[in-house]
Amino acid sequence: MTVSTPSLSASRRIAGAHDIASQPPFAVRRKAFRALHERGCFVIPNPWDVGSARYLQHLGFPALATTSAGFAFSQGLPDSGDDAVISRDRTLGYISSITAAVDLPVSADFLSGYGRQPEDVAESVTRCVTTGVAGLSIEDATGDLASPMYELSVAVERVGAARRAIDRSGEDVLLTARAECYHVGHPDPFRESVRRLQAYAAAGADVLFAPGPQTPTEIKALVEAVAPKPLNVLVVRDIGLSVPEIAALGVRRISVGGALALAAWTGFMRAAQTLMSEGSFAGLARLVPYAEINGLFAADLPGHQRQTL
């Protein structure tokens, strides 16, 4: 395989991971991100750290999205929107590290917006925009098992507050609104998702997202329910549908959430368990060669020459 130097220099990535001013114009990324939603279908994978982000860019994906679960696991923490578990500042630092590491548009998994009240969501969104994201998503889950979703009127107000915060920033950041009906076990998740997504579209969401549907019938029905606005579909396991087949249903964007992070954890855990329980190194068979990964990341160092691995 051939590794060449990407357009973003290593000096910026290494010395200024959070130095947004040193980055190429984010307006270019934001324009490209909006264009991706206007026709066709694209996969937006979810890196959990700088290394995984840079590798996904290397593969040629057109955009990336952060993953709250993948990041939380990398920190030895559970996936949570509770500020006491993973603070807003910590999440913003992670998002900034990804936008600084790649040249691609990045959309932020921003959970429930780090605030219960609309004005709190607006403040959080304003801060998220400054990380250089091309998009961000806001959920309607409360994190409260007794009342797992915001009442629709409140949820709409929160989406509207996020919309106004983005508009005030003057940046062309796409707002994705998520209906968590399937995830929280709503008794009629499809109908409630349609009701909520249509309300969020009217409140100013650019992209609609209801994680959970896995069948062609439900996916296509959701696409039609929110049209002409684009629908994001989450695929975290093999559902028997390929990217072209999902695209044929009218889906504009496919994300994988924490699934790639889980794939990495699966390989690590199985290899470690085999080593501990059996004293066997069988879990280390068929590893990606050290030189391949090392060469990929070395390619960004100043003065590094193009090399073939």
Side-chain angles (χ1 to χ4, degrees), residues 26 36 55 65 90 103-104 110 147 168 172 174-176 188 198 214 224 236-237 243 253 260 265-266 271 290-291 306:
F26 286 111
L36 285 170
Y55 183 69
R90 197 168 182 178
D103 295 323
L104 301 175
F110 209 46
S147 181
R168 284 194 298 270
D172 186 23
L174 263 66
L175 174 61
T176 297
D188 192 353
Q198 290 177 340
Q214 306 286 283
E224 294 171 350
V236 294
R237 61 181 177 83
V243 170
R253 191 172 87 187
L260 289 176
W265 272 97
T266 299
Y290 164 88
R306 181 185 180 93

Side-chain angles (χ1 to χ4, degrees), residues 105-294:
V106 175
S107 187
D109 172 3
F110 209 46
L111 296 167
S112 296
Y114 292 90
R116 297 191 67 85
Q117 301 303 317
E119 56 269 26
D120 298 326
V121 173
E123 179 191 355
S124 294
V125 167
T126 297
R127 293 191 59 186
C128 189
V129 169
T130 66
T131 65
V133 293
L136 60 91
S137 63
I138 298 293
E139 303 173 5
D140 55 11
T142 64
D144 180 356
L145 294 178
S147 181
M149 299 181 72
Y150 287 100
E151 291 293 332
L152 181 57
S153 60
V154 176
V156 168
E157 288 180 9
R158 298 171 84 257
V159 171
R163 173 78 273 160
R164 290 188 294 275
I166 292 172
D167 292 345
R168 284 194 298 270
S169 75
E171 304 295 346
D172 186 23
V173 172
L174 263 66
L175 174 61
T176 297
R178 290 178 49 150
E180 301 297 303
C181 309
Y182 286 86
H183 276 183
V184 303
H186 190 279
D188 192 353
F190 175 76
R191 289 182 182 275
E192 184 63 14
S193 293
V194 169
R195 185 170 82 107
R196 285 175 175 262
L197 293 183
Q198 290 177 340
Y200 301 159
D206 299 297
V207 182
L208 289 311
F209 185 7
Q214 306 286 283
T215 67
T217 299
E218 283 194 326
I219 293 172
K220 185 173 177 58
L222 280 176
V223 167
E224 294 171 350
V226 304
K229 293 196 174 183
L231 180 76
N232 183 105
V233 165
L234 175 69
V235 180
V236 294
R237 61 181 177 83
D238 184 358
I239 62 173
L241 295 173
S242 65
V243 170
E245 288 169 335
I246 294 174
L249 300 174
V251 172
R252 284 278 181 264
R253 191 172 87 187
I254 304 170
S255 58
V256 297
L260 289 176
L262 288 176
W265 272 97
T266 299
F268 161 68
M269 290 172 68
R270 289 179 178 169
Q273 289 165 3
T274 300
L275 182 59
M276 179 62 192
S277 64
E278 302 175 19
S280 169
F281 298 99
L284 305 182
R286 297 185 297 280
L287 295 180
V288 175
Y290 164 88
E292 182 175 334
I293 299 177
N294 195 62

Side-chain angles (χ1 to χ4, degrees), residues 1-4 291-292 295-296 299 304-309:
M1 86 183 267
T2 299
V3 178
S4 57
E292 182 175 334
L296 170 66
H304 182 80
Q305 300 298 311
R306 181 185 180 93
Q307 70 178 44
T308 299
L309 299 178

